[in-house]
Amino acid sequence: MATVQERFDAIVVGAGPAGNAAAYTMAKAGLKVLQLERGEYPGSKNVQGAILYADALEKIIPDFREDAPLERHVIEQRIWMMDDSSHTGMHYRSEDFNEEKPNRYTIIRAQFDRWFSSQVREAGGIVLCETTVTELVKDTKGNVIGVLTDRHGGPLLADVVVMAEGVNGLVGQRSGLRDELKPDNVALAVKEMHFLPQEVIESRFNLKGDAGVVIEAMGTITKGMTGTGFLYTNKESVSIGIGCIVSDMSKSGIKPYNLLDSFKSHPSIAPLIAGSEVKEYVAHLIPEGGFRAMPEIYGNGWIVAGDAAHLVNAVHREGSNLAMTSGRLAGETIVWLKRRREPCTSVNLAEYKKRLEDSFVLKDMRKYQKIPALLHGNRQLLDLYPRMMSGIAQTWLRVDGKAKTAKESEIFKSVRKQRGLAGLVADGLRFARAWR
Amino acid sequence: MGTAPTPAAPSRAGMKKELPERFKSYKHVWVFIEYEHGEIHPVSLELLGEGRKLANKLGVELAGVLLGGNRAALQEAAVQVWEHDADLVYICADPVLEHYRNEPYTKVMTDLVNTYQPEIFLLGATVLGRDLAGAVATTLLTGLTADCTELAIDDEGSLAATRPTFGGSLLCTIHTLNFRPQMATIRPRVMAMPPSAPGKKGRIIEHAAGLHEIDIITKVLRFIPDRDSNKAQLAYADIVVAGGMGLRSPENLQLVRALASVLGGEWGGSRPLVQKGWMDADRQIGQTGKTIRPKVYIAAGISGAIQHRVGVEGADTIIAINTDRNAPIFDFAHFAVVGNAIEILPALTDAFRKRLSVNRLAG
Amino acid sequence: MHIVVCIKQVPDSAQIRVHPVTNTIMRQGVPTIINPYDLFALEEALRLRDRLGGTVTVLTMGPPMAEDSLRKALGIGADRGVLLTDRFFAGSDTLATSFALSQAILKIGETWGVPEVVFTGKQTIDGDTAQVGPGIARRLGLQQLTYVSAISEVDLAGKSITVSRRAEGGVQELKTALPALITMLEGSNEVRRGSIGDVLRGARAELVTWNAAAAGITEMGNCGLRGSPTVVKRVFAPKARATKAVPIETRERDAETIAEDIIAQLYATQPALEAELLRTAAGY
Ligand SMILES: Cc1cc2nc3c(=O)[nH]c(=O)nc-3n(C[C@H](O)[C@H](O)[C@H](O)COP(=O)(O)OP(=O)(O)OC[C@H]3O[C@@H](n4cnc5c(N)ncnc54)[C@H](O)[C@@H]3O)c2cc1C
Ligand SMILES: Cc1cc2nc3c(=O)[nH]c(=O)nc-3n(C[C@H](O)[C@H](O)[C@H](O)COP(=O)(O)OP(=O)(O)OC[C@H]3O[C@@H](n4cnc5c(N)ncnc54)[C@H](O)[C@@H]3O)c2cc1C
Ligand SMILES: Nc1ncnc2c1ncn2[C@@H]1O[C@H](COP(=O)(O)O)[C@@H](O)[C@H]1O
């Protein structure tokens, strides 16, 4: 088998949001880019629906709205605190979100990633699917100079390798550039697509046209584990899922699909998906360890972006935007070095980190760096509080002949009994501090 | 490259339904009688039952078409065709037709059609039937609908052929506009076997093939028959027990085999079992496997996906064992056993074994 | 030796869903693949080429995006890809498809040499008719070899080929003249994985794209809807069975009791069954 002789300016591992952003940015600038994806096609491993944050993509492809496969733009956000039979919620819905260039969309990754990848091709990048990168190739000095794949005829050589391989980061791990994932730092999310006719979705969620709703849910649905549930409306389907920190899962022994089943049968959720046809069940990891769990993100001849760099803001459920932004900044850094005819050494690639620091990416990561540990150490936030709020709401709303003053003191007493005043204050303070 | 038959049909009449003058004389329903190694394939008899209904509806005759090498043998076979209610049988005997080969069979069939002009022509969707139908339809430049599950005559007297589409998730009804004959293939066991009327007689029309071996380019060097002992006789078994991914391991397929053997039936399974290499492809039941019509079908650990469903729906009684009470198989099974197949199958085998052997001793 | 392989890009039907209300196909997110049966044809063609030398041209008719399937085929090892695409081909049934493909094959023959063998898959998973292969053979006057499980001999000088073919009740060993059309039986070989060089070449190759005129097709009446004698009148969902399955109680019962219950219910529905089973059992 003949080996491939040519050398690429950059090799990108993975065709998720991060890899596509990096490959597109570099190809568009005229670099010779080779992108490798292990899936049958970009997005094939990502059938689920998700939220797309327009801003991050706009900075890469300004007029993406013209042809990207978008499902619905989000006009309503519901945040639900759930106990076993109720939910207490905040809904924010605004006509302002029906703007000309909406800010958030629901998307189906299988289609979106595919479209994004087609943009990479159009920009001149070469995308090879069904090709898994097995390890990095280093020269005698330990500098990364290319990759090996699971196909005959390697290695493939490049000036720099962008690792955008997603949360597992196996390539980096195998090549000794990063540690194994810690169960405390990743959540396991399971997700299903439920098909429903468009009219049904629109009437159940009170929607018109392309408008959509997002529900984020927490509370007893995670059975005392740190995690959240969610439901997104797509055009003709609803994405529903739930995720918890892996170490919690293994401690509790609860099976992820059981968790999803009980979330789906919750009386507040079940009617929303009644009569639907389930299409796909996927399980996927999310890096939720925050800033403190980030690995090294650059070195001699290599750079890391997206989930592989652990860039996820779990509090705001943002991931793809950090992935795209980090991918773009990685690409821009490499283009910048190329233009200056500088090699992609560790020293030069430090520019990438600097650009990340200047962007919202590392600012947000820093801001929330204490949250994961906080949630993890204080499960009451996700279990007790939803129960308490539901109890309060019920006492307050149920008209049963009791005097309102009696109700007030009942509420107050029950709150004190369940958490204690000191506990309440402490939780509040801890949370405020972590948030700051 | 060889000489292409001139594409006739100078202008397609488009979507408008208006039968050209030259096709107006096309009448009667034909069934291709698949006759090989001295036997008529059961699917041909099934189609005679279906053809009879169409012919009655149209008030026309039903004919079988028999091709083969030996005239006497064909005449004998024709009796069986009459007994399955054909009014007449076209026979073409010629040594060249002894073993099926596409070229001479296509030639003879197109001659027959052009000479005797049937309006409907049905063939079994077997390996042979599909090989022949595609070639004949293209030569005649007419429409052919494959793998039909239902045939009917519409108000205007044309054939409405219904078949699965999009991987079996939907059905569609197809018409052949403006061309004759209207051709369709139907898989074995999709239509019920009609009763036969012993002694019933009909007519024979003999047709000369006018072929010479020397002109036939393809030669049969050898025919290696399948060893019957190893072959699944799934399609025609009265009792079929099948397993799916719910069996969880290839070893548990033994549970299915054991039950089938006690019942004197056949065994099979869903497609993933073939894909995983747990069993041979000829035991696969469903759209891309065998269609079955047993009296009893026991499905253990099979979810009942549409592609599986279309292959078993003709069973008289379907008993489904599945741990998931919402499994789609319960939408078309007759008896729903919500439970673990790995436990229930051996119990069922034992129970049947006891009953069948105890009673045997008593009798 | 020149070999043409016809491949079709099809929706991955495992992932197709039907809209429960309108009974239309929900194409949302349904990926397309090379018709799986065609891969066996492609692999067999590549093996012939590797053994005897020559080139393999893959041909597909479909919308512009069918280009993906050609690139994939090149990535597996094919030498050349031809995309036949024209809005006049829309709505083709098998007769019209075989017309367009056969014309393109004639053009391929004029351009790069007359092929000795044309391959198709056994059938497609969307059309599922197994008619296009025989259709092409008839239109080009090629010897038709369907359901071929092995090619034992190719004699290029003597222009002959010997194959094993799945027939009813057995395997036929056939010898015929070239050029021939072969539809390959599934499972008869294992599709290779192209090398990194192949996939790179596939990704970058210049594909040949022909519209009807470029393929030398002048009789437009034989193409697309106009050239299709069959029309789809109605598409509908299989109807649900009117009666639900009779549940056999399993909760808090042991397997033996369940088994007895199943047998009792079965015999009750099919009174003649018990006697038949006994007869069969006695026959052992
Ligand atoms: C259930 C769930 C819901 C989510 N919801 C949202 C949301 O609503 N909004 C949001 O912004 N974020 C969301 N996220 C997070 C978001 O999906 C990720 O942050 C984002 O996909 C990261 O992009 P990426 O490109 O880094 O990685 P990925 O999307 O994981 O892409 C990595 C790609 O690399 C490929 N690959 C991996 N290894 C190799 C290899 N060795 N060789 C070749 N290719 C390889 C993979 O096949 C994959 O295509 C969600 C995550 C999950 C799990
Ligand atoms: C073009 C195409 C053609 C196809 N053709 C066919 C075909 O011809 N035939 C075919 O069968 N499929 C076919 N399929 C595949 C079909 O879509 C399904 O994937 C397949 O039938 C599923 O097989 P299964 O029910 O065995 O497995 P699964 O869908 O995995 O179901 C396993 C079932 O077992 C149950 N179960 C688990 N454990 C137990 C237990 N201990 N006891 C009892 N039940 C248990 C589960 O609840 C589940 O319902 C085709 C698909 C396509 C796309
Ligand atoms: N549009 C097409 N383009 C190329 N080849 C096709 C096309 N349609 C069918 N074929 C070939 O014909 C075979 C049989 O198709 P079908 O008759 O649709 O089952 C397929 O396996 C393909 O090899």
Side-chain angles (χ1 to χ4, degrees), chain A residues 54-74:
Chain A
D55 172 72
L57 182 55
E58 225 164 12
K59 291 207 166 74
I60 302 165
I61 304 180
D63 53 2
F64 74 90
R65 290 183 182 82
E66 281 169 21
D67 55 357
L70 305 170
E71 292 288 310
R72 295 174 178 275
H73 64 273
V74 180

Side-chain angles (χ1 to χ4, degrees), chain B residues 4-5 12 100 126-127 131 163 171 173 175 177 218-219 221-222 224 226 261 295 317 334 336 338, chain C residues 127 138-139 143 146 166 168 171-173 175-176 226 229 231 233-234 236 246 248 250 270 276 284:
Chain B
R12 290 275 179 228
Y100 174 76
T126 57
V127 170
D131 184 80
R163 67 175 307 239
L171 298 171
T173 303
H175 292 243
L177 298 180
T218 302
K219 306 289 176 201
L221 302 184
R222 263 200 313 164
I224 309 143
D226 298 327
S261 133
K295 291 183 177 144
T317 304
H334 301 89
V338 180
Chain C
R138 284 311 304 153
R139 289 186 181 271
Q143 292 304 306
T146 53
R166 165 112 305 263
E168 286 302 320
V171 176
Q172 273 182 333
E173 206 171 277
K175 181 169 178 160
T176 194
R226 286 209 295 153
V231 289
K233 274 287 181 63
R234 195 162 83 94
F236 56 103
V246 178
I248 290 184
T250 49
Q270 291 198 28
E276 280 170 38
Y284 282 159

Side-chain angles (χ1 to χ4, degrees), chain B residues 245 248 270-271 284-288 303 307-308 322 340-341:
Chain B
M245 289 312 289
R248 297 185 181 165
S270 63
R271 180 160 92 155
Q284 180 187 318
I285 298 169
Q287 193 198 339
T288 46
S303 58
Q307 295 89 0
H308 189 79
N322 197 304
N340 186 344

Side-chain angles (χ1 to χ4, degrees), chain C residues 6-8 35 38 59 61 101 120-121 123-124 129-132:
Chain C
C6 298
I7 64 171
K8 185 177 182 191
N35 176 40
D38 299 350
L59 166 65
M61 176 177 105
L101 288 174
T120 73
Q123 66 197 66
T124 50
T129 71
Q131 282 163 205
V132 171

Side-chain angles (χ1 to χ4, degrees), chain A residues 174-225:
Chain A
R174 238 181 259 134
S175 311
L177 302 180
R178 56 188 294 161
D179 298 333
E180 231 173 273
L181 279 179
K182 294 195 183 56
D184 273 352
N185 290 336
V186 275
L188 178 67
V190 291
K191 197 162 182 175
E192 280 177 358
M193 289 265 279
H194 284 246
F195 275 94
L196 282 168
Q198 197 166 335
E199 314 80 68
V200 174
I201 293 181
E202 285 167 7
S203 77
R204 275 186 198 170
F205 292 90
N206 190 17
L207 294 170
K208 270 206 308 269
D210 288 335
V213 166
V214 167
I215 301 176
E216 307 283 3
M218 57 208 98
T220 59
I221 48 167
T222 50
K223 320 259 184 228
M225 300 181 285

